[in-house]
Amino acid sequence: MAARRARDFALGAEQGQLGDETLGYLQDEVRRNTEQYPRVPLPTLFDDLAAAQSDAFRLIEGGRAGLRRCGSST
């Protein structure tokens, strides 16, 4: 619970920007999941995998929205 709140805070702190903190978090999550995959039954990883995917999509979509705004103003 506390780890999820910290993750949500860190992702929200950059407010839709893909900064170093956000990219580092995603890199750490992918690394952790790939290290656990051979040792942990896949069903126990589903929640973490789904959360990482959701975070990545949300951040990409937020970045895309920001790029659209920039592109439409020029």
Side-chain angles (χ1 to χ4, degrees):
M1 177 79 106
R4 187 173 299 267
R5 289 182 67 198
R7 181 201 76 205
D8 291 344
F9 176 78
L11 293 176
E14 292 183 353
Q15 298 178 359
Q17 298 176 4
L18 293 175
D20 291 339
E21 185 73 24
T22 301
L23 292 175
Y25 160 74
L26 290 173
Q27 182 179 23
D28 291 345
E29 284 298 294
V30 169
R31 181 179 293 120
R32 186 178 62 77
N33 285 322
T34 56
E35 289 172 354
Q36 287 184 346
Y37 175 74
R39 297 176 288 149
V40 177
L42 188 56
T44 62
L45 294 177
F46 280 148
D47 287 341
D48 289 343
L49 293 169
Q53 180 187 46
S54 177
D55 292 340
F57 285 164
R58 182 171 40 125
L59 292 165
I60 290 168
E61 289 168 352
R64 221 183 276 151
L67 290 174
R68 255 187 263 137
R69 280 193 302 269
C70 292
S72 65
S73 65
T74 57

